[in-house]
Amino acid sequence: MRGAYAAGMLDALSSDGWRGAVDVIYGASSGSFLAACFAAGHAGPAAAGFSADLASPAFVDLRRFGRRPVLSLDHLVDHVLGVTRPMPWDALAASRTGVRIVATAVDDLRARTLDDLRTPDDWRSALRASAAIPIFAGPAVEHRGRFWIDGSIGEPLALARAVRDGATHVLVLLSRPVSELRPGTDAGLSWWARALDRARPGLGSLAQGTRRYGADLAMVTDPDHPDRAGARVAAVEPWRGTGMGALTVDPGPVGEAVRVGAESMRAALTGPITG
């Protein structure tokens, strides 16, 4: 649900006429859906859907724990993208903005992009794979003969990947203020997280929270970081929090997070927020 901040950012970027300036967009977890929607010109409906369609027990309900997935990818993929805010798959296929969906392979917990997505079924499968949070969203998703889980487990931000792919100018969208992420600059996992990963692949990494962002955050905050390889990097972070968490279903703070995200993007493009 923290993707609401990035949803607002991408809606502002698109509605203010910047979509054509983006050559490639990378996304993991909720970011994979937002990346696809942005490329398809569907960023506005995606942002509106956070408070209207996703801030609901139909999508997130902790009472289902142990019986059914707490987070329903069926609701997101089949109902929201299929019924209430239908994804324009043809527009996605024709988009000049490339989309790189990041998912984590179960067998080695390494992140990869799921490429050569041509049909709506290909896209739906890849989006599910990128957002398959261990335990909370059900079992790992099979995609083309391999099993995948949430992309943010192996790679919370695809900054290094974008640079390796040849990007010269990178805009990073953060779903938390940098001040909240800074304590996690040590990217190494604790012993208990590694043990949990062996028992249930990806769960230990996920449990480390913001610590997973360490290596990527170092690239964001250090202009002289060697892995930048000369690329120019800018990051947009929420200018304030709204009191919401990853599983918040209260439409109030979720909708406010979308607004904060949009304000943050426009401030980055035009000037600081005052007042």
Side-chain angles (χ1 to χ4, degrees):
M1 293 303 290
R2 285 186 175 275
Y5 292 108
M9 294 175 189
L10 287 173
D11 184 23
L13 199 66
S14 182
S15 61
D16 289 4
W18 290 90
R19 186 161 63 95
V22 180
D23 296 313
V24 183
I25 182 168
Y26 294 74
S29 195
S30 63
S32 66
F33 292 88
L34 296 175
C37 288
F38 177 82
H42 200 58
F50 266 85
S51 59
D53 303 311
L54 300 185
S56 160
F59 182 52
V60 179
D61 192 344
L62 285 169
R63 293 172 298 182
R64 296 196 291 257
F65 187 79
R67 298 180 294 110
R68 289 181 294 153
V70 168
L71 188 151
S72 174
L73 295 180
D74 288 344
H75 177 74
L76 174 55
V77 176
D78 298 333
H79 184 70
V80 178
L81 295 186
V83 179
T84 61
R85 300 174 199 278
M87 170 71 94
W89 300 109
D90 290 344
L92 178 59
S95 177
R96 67 167 299 277
T97 301
V99 181
R100 304 290 184 267
I101 302 300
V102 179
T104 303
V106 170
D107 50 18
D108 61 7
L109 292 184
R110 292 181 60 188
R112 294 169 174 83
T113 56
L114 305 181
D115 300 318
D116 195 28
L117 306 176
R118 301 181 181 182
T119 69
D121 283 344
D122 288 341
W123 282 101
R124 283 188 282 261
S125 175
L127 295 175
R128 286 177 180 272
S130 181
I133 301 172
I135 293 183
F136 286 94
V141 172
E142 184 178 4
H143 177 80
R144 294 182 177 169
R146 198 168 186 176
F147 287 90
W148 304 89
I149 52 178
D150 192 288
S152 70
I153 291 172
E155 196 168 276
L157 300 175
L159 171 54
R161 181 177 298 275
V163 172
R164 290 196 304 269
D165 286 352
T168 58
H169 295 72
V170 184
L171 180 63
V172 181
L173 307 186
L174 299 174
S175 59
R176 299 172 186 261
V178 170
S179 60
E180 292 186 19
L181 294 171
R182 198 171 295 277
T185 52
D186 176 10
L189 295 181
S190 62
W191 65 268
W192 60 265
R194 293 194 298 271
L196 194 55
D197 270 347
R198 288 192 293 271
R200 190 65 179 261
L203 189 59
S205 299
L206 189 68
Q208 291 285 264
T210 60
R211 191 171 182 177
R212 293 178 293 129
Y213 288 76
D216 288 329
L217 185 63
M219 285 186 68
V220 170
T221 56
D222 181 3
D224 298 318
H225 197 288
D227 288 346
R228 283 197 181 189
R232 300 188 63 146
V233 177
V236 179
E237 60 181 301
W239 74 274
R240 66 177 178 86
T242 67
M244 65 171 286
L247 299 178
T248 295
V249 292
D250 184 340
V254 173
E256 185 64 13
V258 173
R259 288 188 288 274
V260 167
E263 292 169 354
S264 301
M265 176 59 74
R266 292 193 169 107
L269 295 172
T270 62
I273 297 173
T274 60

